[in-house]
Amino acid sequence: MKINRRRRLIKTFNLLDQPIRFNPFVFSRTFFMWALTGLVGGAIAGGYWIVLEHFTEFLVQFQGWMVIPTMAICGLMAGLVIHFIGDPGEIHLIVNNIRFNKGKLDPKNNPSMILSSLFCVASGGSLGPEAPLVQVTGSTGTWLGKIFRLKGEELRSLSIAGMASGFTALFGAPLGGSLFSLEILHHKHAVEYYRAIIPALVASCFSYVMFALIIHLGIGATWDLKAYHYSGVYDFIYAFLFGVVATIFGWIFIFVVKFFKKIFEYRQFPIYIKTLVGGIILGVIAYNFPITRYFGHHEINELINGNFALNFLIVVLIFKIIAIAVTVTSGWRGGFIIPLFFVGTTLGLIIHQLFPTVDTTLAIVSCMAAINACVTRTPMSTTIILGTLTGFTYFVPILFASLTGYFLAPKIPFIGSQSEKLSEE
C-alpha cells in the first residue's frame, strides 16, 4: 500500500515542470525589490519637486531687468557647485553607464546634480528636472541593487527601474515613463533592454503613487488643450505633414545646439565662467520674452490659453530654441524634453494661425510628438506620454507624427551615446 501511494506521489510530481513552492503567484522576492525602488524613487522625486517649487517661488519675484542678474548669479552658483563638488555629467553619460558600465550609475555625484540643477531650473533655465531626477533615481536603483547583492542583468534592470521611476514622477505616466527609460538607452538595439520592462513598470507604478501622495497630484491632463474630434482618415495625413514640419525644426534645433557648442568650447574657460555667460544670455532673452523663461511646465498652458499674434509666436519660437541651445551648451543642468514640447506647442499654434481650418489640438500634439521623437529617438514612449499629458486619447495620429520625427531624424543622433558606432564597438 505504501509503495502504491509513493508511486502516485512520484507520478504527480513528474507532471510538474518545477517543484511545488510556497508562493503560488508570479511575484517573488524581486517584485518587492522593484516596488521598493519605485517607492524610494517617488519619495526622492517628491522631495526634489517640493524644494524646486519653493526655490522657484522665491526667484520668480525678481522680474523686469532684475531677471538678468538673477539668472547670471544662479548660473555662476551652479558652475561653482559643479567645479568644486564634481561634474554630474549629462544624459549621454547615463546612457553610456547603463550600456557599457554593467548598468551601474554612480551616486557619488548626486549632490552636485541636485544642487546645480536646482539653481538652473528654479532660476528659469530652459531645461527641466527630468535629467536630474533620472540620474538620482537611477543611481538609487544601482545602490539598492548592491545592497541586495545583485549582479549582471538583474543590477542593470534595477538601475533602469530607478530611471523609470524618475521619468514617471515627472510625466505622471507609468507606462510612458517605463518605455522612455528603455527607448532612451539606444535607438537601434533598444530591444535588448526590454527584459527590464516589468521591473520598470512595477517601479513606475509605485513611484507614481508615492509622488502623487507627496505633492497631492491628481489624475488628468496637465495641459489644457481643446477636445479633439476625429474628422476622417485625412487627419492621419495632417499628422504626418505636421510631423514633417516639426522634424525640420528638430533639425534646426540640433544645428543651433552644435553652433553654440562650438562657441562655448572655443576656449577652455572654467565651467563657472560658461554658466555665468549662459545665465546672462538667458536673462536677456527672458527679460525681452518672459514666456521663454523656465522649462515650459506652466508656460505651455499660457501659450494655449493666450491669444498671441503670429509675429509674436514666431519670435518666441526662435528665441526659445536659442534659449534651450544656450542652456544645454553653457553647462546648465537639466533635461530638454518638456522644453521641446513647448517648441512643438508654439509651432502648432503658428500652423493654426497660418491655416485656421486646421484642428489646433491635432497640430500642437503632432508637432510636440515629432520634434521630441526626432531629437530623443523615443517614438513609442513619446506617444504614450503625450496622450497622458494632453488628454489626447487618439494615439494613432500621435504615433504617425512620432514615427515621422523618428525616421526623418538625422542619422547622427543628438544624444551622442545613441550612436550606432558605439553599439558596434
Side-chain angles (χ1 to χ4, degrees):
M1 194 69 177
K2 290 182 179 180
I3 295 174
N4 291 335
R5 189 182 303 167
R6 190 175 299 172
R7 284 176 178 173
R8 284 197 300 270
L9 284 172
I10 292 172
K11 188 176 181 180
T12 302
F13 284 125
N14 284 339
L15 294 175
L16 301 175
D17 293 329
Q18 294 182 353
I20 295 175
R21 296 186 181 185
F22 175 75
N23 178 18
F25 304 106
V26 172
F27 73 82
S28 59
R29 181 178 72 98
T30 53
F31 171 86
F32 296 102
M33 289 192 298
W34 304 333
L36 177 62
T37 301
L39 290 172
V40 175
I44 291 171
Y48 181 92
W49 189 265
I50 290 172
V51 174
L52 177 63
E53 282 194 325
H54 282 87
F55 196 22
T56 303
E57 287 175 5
F58 170 72
L59 294 176
V60 78
Q61 302 175 70
F62 301 99
Q63 299 287 340
W65 67 268
M66 286 294 293
V67 73
I68 300 174
T70 299
M71 296 190 73
I73 292 171
C74 286
L76 175 63
M77 294 300 295
L80 290 173
V81 167
I82 295 170
H83 180 75
F84 287 107
I85 300 181
D87 189 350
E90 298 173 356
I91 189 69
H92 67 85
L93 181 61
I94 298 174
V95 175
N96 271 337
N97 283 338
I98 289 292
R99 289 172 57 200
F100 303 121
N101 193 30
K102 300 179 181 179
K104 299 176 184 177
L105 298 177
D106 196 342
K108 70 177 182 180
N109 288 325
N110 284 352
S112 175
M113 175 61 89
I114 292 171
L115 288 174
S116 61
S117 65
L118 282 173
F119 280 112
C120 295
V121 179
S123 63
S126 287
L127 290 179
E130 57 267 30
L133 283 180
V134 169
Q135 164 66 29
V136 176
T137 55
S139 61
T140 301
T142 301
W143 176 70
L144 288 172
K146 290 180 178 178
I147 289 178
F148 292 121
R149 297 181 180 179
L150 300 182
K151 295 180 180 179
E153 289 305 318
E154 286 187 332
L155 179 60
R156 192 196 309 272
S157 293
L158 205 63
S159 298
I160 294 174
M163 290 172 58
S165 71
F167 278 123
T168 295
L170 179 66
F171 297 130
L175 181 57
S178 301
L179 287 176
F180 202 96
S181 67
L182 301 174
E183 279 192 298
I184 197 72
L185 293 178
H186 194 238
H187 74 281
K188 186 177 181 182
H189 302 300
V191 68
E192 67 183 286
Y193 299 110
Y194 272 71
R195 67 187 72 186
I197 185 64
I198 298 300
L201 278 172
V202 172
S204 291
C205 289
F206 280 90
S207 171
Y208 180 78
V209 172
M210 178 61 74
F211 187 73
L213 286 172
I214 293 174
I215 71 165
H216 307 292
L217 179 69
I219 296 177
T222 302
W223 298 315
D224 306 326
L225 289 171
K226 296 177 182 178
Y228 163 73
H229 300 286
Y230 175 70
S231 59
V233 70
Y234 289 108
D235 281 5
F236 300 120
I237 299 175
Y238 289 141
F240 165 73
L241 294 175
F242 300 150
V244 171
V245 175
T247 303
I248 292 172
F249 278 87
W251 279 70
I252 292 172
F253 167 74
I254 292 171
F255 279 114
V256 172
V257 170
K258 290 183 181 296
F259 171 75
F260 279 101
K261 187 176 182 180
K262 288 182 180 179
I263 292 177
F264 280 103
E265 291 181 353
Y266 182 71
R267 292 286 180 87
Q268 292 297 320
F269 291 109
I271 183 67
Y272 51 86
I273 299 297
K274 294 180 180 179
T275 53
L276 171 63
V277 173
I280 294 171
I281 297 172
L282 293 171
V284 171
I285 295 174
Y287 169 69
N288 289 281
F289 306 100
I291 200 169
T292 63
R293 192 182 180 189
Y294 298 106
F295 63 99
H297 185 73
H298 301 293
E299 290 71 26
I300 287 176
N301 274 333
E302 289 184 35
L303 276 177
I304 294 169
N305 298 323
N307 188 21
F308 299 108
L310 177 61
N311 292 341
F312 179 78
L313 290 173
I314 292 173
V315 172
V316 166
L317 176 67
I318 294 169
F319 280 96
K320 186 63 176 180
I321 290 175
I322 294 173
I324 301 172
V326 170
T327 313
V328 169
T329 55
S330 63
W332 284 46
R333 291 296 181 262
F336 45 78
I337 298 165
I338 294 182
L340 286 175
F341 287 158
F342 180 97
V343 173
T345 303
T346 311
L347 187 58
L349 291 172
I350 291 172
I351 291 173
H352 177 69
Q353 292 262 13
L354 294 172
F355 306 98
T357 57
V358 165
D359 186 283
T360 314
T361 301
L362 181 62
I364 290 174
V365 174
S366 297
C367 290
M368 281 177 155
I371 193 169
N372 188 67
C374 173
V375 175
T376 64
R377 312 288 180 105
T378 56
M380 291 186 293
S381 53
T382 294
T383 301
I384 297 170
I385 288 169
L386 279 177
T388 303
L389 292 175
T390 63
F392 194 100
T393 55
Y394 298 85
F395 281 163
V396 180
I398 311 178
L399 187 57
F400 268 63
S402 293
L403 289 173
T404 300
Y406 174 77
F407 284 109
L408 296 181
K411 190 172 183 180
I412 300 175
F414 177 73
I415 301 174
S417 50
Q418 291 179 330
S419 174
E420 294 179 23
K421 291 182 180 180
L422 287 174
S423 67
E424 292 169 359
E425 290 176 354

